[in-house]
Amino acid sequence: MFQGTIPGPMRAIVREAAGQWPRGPVYVPCCGNFTIERSLAGMGFALHSSDVSIYTTAIGRWLTRQPAGIQLREESRDELGWLEGSLDDGAGTVATMMLGTRFLGSVGRGGLWHQRVVRSYRDQWAAQHAQTVERLSGSDVHLDSYEVEDVRSWLRKVPKDAPVCSFPPFYGGGYEKLYEPLNTHFTWDAPEYEPLSDADVVDVLGAITDRPYWLTASNHDVPELQPYLRGVIKATPRAAPFYVYASAAPTRIVAPRQPIEQVKAPRLRRGEEVTGPLKLAMLKPGEFNALRSRYLNPRIAPGAANLTVAVKDGAGRIIGVFAMAPSSYTPDETYLLSDFAVAPTDYPRLSKLVVLAAISLEAQLLCQRAFSRRIRAVSTTAFSNNPVSMKYRGLLRLTKRGPSNEDGWQYQLQYQGAMGAHTLEQAWNTWRAKWGKRAAELKEKR
């Protein structure tokens, strides 16, 4: 319900570590989305929290029966006047802040997508706001106090023998950017403070750990706290790891685990000739995971796919796999999340046939059925040590080239193209004429 980026397994680690603390007050600076408070609820602690963001303050004041003190800015009334009736200084204001984080970033921005987002929330506001207020009424979190104060000064007031548990901002200026849309359209008694720099984050960690009972976490591996490392959490393959440090707690490692199912269909092998016509076959998530683990480059972190499909040849053998997800930015576009050919085979350019099948008319129809929207285009990202991807060259258009944000690769390449411009039969004929030579034939040609 509350917005945040702390993975679920962290809550279990917090409860486990706090079980060794003396019952009494616990202090939570930088409380953010109240993950810690929700984790400690019902354990007999008196919870005292502080923060400086508009989002957190709305929740903290509501949980301590203080008026939120948040109002719509005068300059935003023309565009967002329909929100004013929802600001009641209590749960209604909290619900408005929560829902606002989802759409206020689109207010005033050009483009049909942003306009549709704002219009959708305006048209459904009464129902969504009421549902959020109802969910808030079921919260079992109770705070003994909440203060709007900078973490550096607040920690100096915390008793030296009291437990402190906190997940400070991982990057300097993180709060300011995250809640900028809320501050743009709402006014409140915001405190004056200097945003935390990266060096300040390290100092805050030191102030937290200077006491007998404490727990903190960061997505930085802090060498100075290495003796107190109690857990490493990597919730998903693409997620950054969290490092959990505590004065005392059992050690834990949390890693993603994917379900695997046996794939019974045969696969093209070395010495076998690929034949037409091509066919597409839906895969179960576990089957896709099994094939991806077997054939995809292990340095490529997998993502969550909405549609997973096997490409089969005329003999019913799997020659490759592709996975799609709806684009987050363009309504009529699908994102080619993953595509790979089976190996080893006699065909060094088999991956091009998989791409051709993935952007075919038949694949387009599968996407439209799965995503319930018209699909006209496809985009994908390639990581490479070369300035172009030979797999996509000639099939998709290179739209952007930049440095890679993934370790082990020099370039991050963005490709885009039309979806459904050819059938599977045409894909087969094109590939066979241009790239369908076997390795031995290519060697003789040289």
Side-chain angles (χ1 to χ4, degrees), residues 179-196:
Y179 299 121
E180 182 179 2
L182 292 177
N183 287 308
T184 297
H185 298 288
F186 295 95
T187 181
W188 64 298
D189 55 332
E192 293 186 3
Y193 68 95
E194 287 294 326
L196 292 177

Side-chain angles (χ1 to χ4, degrees), residues 57-352:
T57 297
I59 302 172
R61 287 177 171 174
W62 169 66
L63 289 173
T64 51
R65 304 299 183 263
Q66 303 176 60
I70 297 172
Q71 300 296 326
L72 189 67
R73 291 186 182 274
E74 187 65 36
E75 56 269 30
S76 298
R77 291 183 188 279
D78 289 344
E79 213 164 9
L80 297 171
W82 47 277
L83 294 177
E84 282 196 287
S86 303
L87 300 173
D88 62 357
D89 260 346
T93 298
V94 174
T96 302
M97 295 299 103
M98 290 180 170
L99 293 171
T101 60
R102 303 178 187 177
F103 78 93
L104 287 177
S106 292
V107 173
R109 297 183 63 178
L112 291 176
W113 188 84
H114 293 292
Q115 294 172 16
R116 288 166 100 185
V117 168
V118 177
R119 185 169 61 248
S120 174
Y121 272 90
R122 184 183 62 227
D123 294 345
Q124 303 176 59
W125 181 255
Q128 291 206 31
H129 187 266
Q131 290 172 4
T132 306
V133 170
E134 183 179 358
R135 291 174 63 193
L136 285 169
S137 65
S139 173
D140 61 350
V141 180
H142 172 75
L143 298 185
D144 284 77
S145 71
Y146 175 83
E147 294 185 43
V148 184
E149 186 171 348
D150 181 79
V151 59
R152 288 159 288 197
S153 61
W154 195 73
L155 277 173
R156 288 195 289 269
K157 300 191 303 186
V158 173
K160 282 291 186 180
D161 59 346
V164 169
C165 188
S166 178
F167 304 148
F170 300 135
Y171 300 102
Y175 270 177
E176 291 69 27
K177 185 174 182 181
L178 180 62
Y179 299 121
E180 182 179 2
L182 292 177
N183 287 308
T184 297
H185 298 288
F186 295 95
T187 181
W188 64 298
D189 55 332
E192 293 186 3
Y193 68 95
E194 287 294 326
L196 292 177
S197 66
D198 291 342
D200 289 332
V201 173
V202 176
D203 292 339
V204 168
L205 287 174
I208 291 171
T209 59
D210 186 23
R211 58 192 63 251
Y213 305 102
W214 56 271
L215 183 145
T216 188
S218 173
N219 62 352
H220 300 289
D221 187 3
V222 184
E224 294 80 4
L225 296 180
Q226 192 64 34
Y228 302 100
L229 181 64
R230 307 302 182 192
V232 179
I233 298 174
K234 189 173 176 64
T236 67
R238 288 187 173 273
F242 285 87
Y243 300 91
V244 184
Y245 304 94
S247 53
T251 57
R252 296 285 184 263
I253 294 178
V254 179
R257 180 178 179 273
Q258 60 179 2
I260 298 292
E261 291 187 45
Q262 182 182 4
V263 181
K264 298 179 180 180
R267 284 157 249 180
L268 184 69
R269 302 182 183 279
R270 185 172 288 160
E272 296 179 343
E273 181 180 359
V274 62
T275 61
L278 298 180
K279 299 177 182 177
L280 301 182
M282 301 287 288
L283 290 171
K284 297 178 182 177
E287 294 173 329
F288 172 70
N289 290 337
L291 292 168
R292 179 176 60 187
S293 300
R294 174 66 178 84
Y295 298 111
L296 189 65
N297 190 318
R299 290 190 295 169
I300 300 176
N306 298 69
L307 177 69
T308 53
V309 182
V311 183
K312 295 184 176 182
D313 74 349
R317 297 168 299 198
I318 295 176
I319 63 172
V321 172
F322 64 86
M324 297 286 196
S327 172
S328 301
Y329 306 100
T330 309
D332 64 347
E333 185 177 80
T334 183
Y335 186 74
L336 182 57
L337 191 68
S338 179
D339 62 274
F340 52 88
V342 301
T345 70
D346 293 345
Y347 298 90
R349 296 171 184 170
L350 188 61
S351 59
K352 279 189 173 288

